Structure formats: C-alpha cells, structure tokens
Amino acid sequence: MRIKVATIFPEMFEALDAGIIGKAKQKGLLNIEVFNIRDFSTDKHKKTDDAPFGGGAGMVMTPQPLHDAINTLDKEHIAKRIYLSPKGKTLDQQTVESLAKQDELLLVCGSYEGIDERIIEMDIDEEISIGDYVLTGGELPAMVLINAVSRYVEGVLGSSESTSEESFASGLLEYPQYTRPAVFEGKEVPQVLLGGNHAEIAKWRYSQQLEITRQRRPDLYQKILPTLKDIDKNKFGKGE
C-alpha cells in the first residue's frame, strides 16, 4: 500500500519509523511518503494561512498551497483523498477495512481553524474524524488512520488471526489476555486457559466478549444482539 501525507508538520511523522509500522516500511509492505504543504506555497514567505472571511478567531489554511500539493502528489486522482476533520465521518472498523483495500491514500492534514472549504469541494473525496473532540491539527488523526489501516495490509502483522479475533472485528470487544506466570501477586489465570481444551477456551473467550461488550459498550451489544443466535450456531453448532 502507498500512503502520501500532506502536512505543515512533516517531522511529526517520524514516529511511524518505529514499531510494526516501521518494520513494514523497511520490508516494503508500506510506502509512506510525507510532504510539506509549505513547499507548494507561491507566497514568498511560504505562508499557508490567512484570516477567515467574515471574521472569527484563528486562521484558515489558504487554498493555493493545498490545491497545488494535492494535485501535484496525485495528478491522475488515483488515490483516495482524505481530509482529517472533526466534522468528518467517524473512523470505525468498517471504514478501516474498506480503506485497507485501496492501493493508494492521500491524507491531507489541516491546522489552525481548518482549511478553505473550496479545497474540500474540489479536491477531497472524504472527510474522516477519529472522534468527537477537536485537536490542534490533522497529524495525529492521520497517524491513527495509518496505524489502523496498515494492520490490514497483508504481511504487516505476523498472523491473520490478529485482525480476525481482535476488538470490533467480530462486532464485540476483545476477550481478556493472559501470559506467564500463571500466578502473579496472588492473582491467578483462569483455569480454563490452562487445561488445553480449545473448545472450552473458545466458549470462555466468547462469553467474556459478550459480557465485556454488554458492560462497556451497550450500544455495540444492542447492535449485535439480533445476530447472537446465528453467531452461537456458527461458532459452537448450537442455537434454535
């Protein structure tokens, strides 16, 4: 997968050189390129912002540098062009998996009070938000999106089960995980996990997923409730 990022703070994306994403870049599984929007500004001082028409607090990113950056980096409009915005569609599991199927993404990071609306109208395919709160810029949301999407690129994770069994992939939150030692500070690992009976382990994990989701995310639980009998039947061969 190829991901291009347009930002006025390219140094922030050095964090992507670490961990799983960094290893995937080294292996050539991910091609992530970061570009400075200021380099596309025709202003002699490389300005990328100005006061908003109609007044108001803060500054707005001007259209020229953004328009030229987007259309230079993606001349043929091959990439899915995404503007990270608090008024965009919320990034969820379905969106992550859909974006992972794209060959190329172009992520546009706004700053200040946002970007000129005409750029959204002319050059952006979709606005995406990572949650109902406002940040100082689109850089952290872009990194969140890259991290989430990259996990579904073949070869980035060591096992396909890592994505198929995790939280939200099944519509339920993930079950608790344990590792050695079996007893730590007097707290024991559930016995079912130590017995080697994989069918019983699967049932226990599923029951934990149901209960954790019911307690912590009742909205998700109610959403999946109508399909639970079908899930039971598929997983364990039971149901009415």
Side-chain angles (χ1 to χ4, degrees), residues 209-218 221:
Q209 285 186 281
L210 287 175
E211 184 59 20
I212 290 170
T213 304
R214 186 186 68 80
Q215 289 183 3
R216 302 181 188 179
R217 290 293 303 272
Y221 186 79

Side-chain angles (χ1 to χ4, degrees), residues 6-134:
T7 172
I8 58 172
F9 299 111
E11 63 276 10
M12 291 182 67
F13 290 85
E14 292 176 8
L16 296 178
D17 291 332
I20 289 174
I21 305 300
K23 291 178 181 177
K25 288 173 63 179
Q26 292 174 6
K27 293 177 181 177
L29 300 172
L30 294 172
N31 183 345
I32 302 174
E33 300 175 278
V34 183
F35 300 88
N36 194 330
I37 296 169
R38 295 186 191 280
D39 293 340
F40 299 89
S41 175
T42 57
D43 179 83
K44 65 179 181 179
H45 300 297
K46 297 299 181 183
K47 270 188 67 176
T48 59
D49 65 299
D50 210 332
F53 282 122
M59 305 289 275
V60 174
M61 293 188 72
T62 52
Q64 178 274 312
L66 286 165
H67 181 70
D68 286 359
I70 292 167
N71 289 283
T72 299
L73 300 177
D74 183 33
K75 292 178 182 178
E76 305 298 326
H77 200 155
I78 295 171
K80 176 88 167 181
R81 299 173 176 181
I82 296 170
Y83 169 48
L84 286 308
S85 164
K87 60 186 177 73
K89 170 187 174 183
T90 302
L91 184 67
D92 58 16
Q93 189 65 28
Q94 184 177 0
T95 304
V96 166
E97 293 184 29
S98 175
L99 292 177
K101 296 174 184 176
Q102 299 285 329
D103 293 325
E104 188 168 323
L105 301 176
L106 173 56
L107 308 182
V108 178
C109 304
S111 200
Y112 313 117
E113 295 302 311
I115 70 175
D116 191 294
E117 186 69 19
R118 291 166 292 185
I119 294 301
I120 298 173
E121 295 171 358
M122 293 189 298
D123 299 321
I124 298 298
D125 296 320
E126 188 171 9
E127 293 181 76
I128 290 181
S129 165
I130 63 166
D132 295 336
Y133 44 86
V134 180

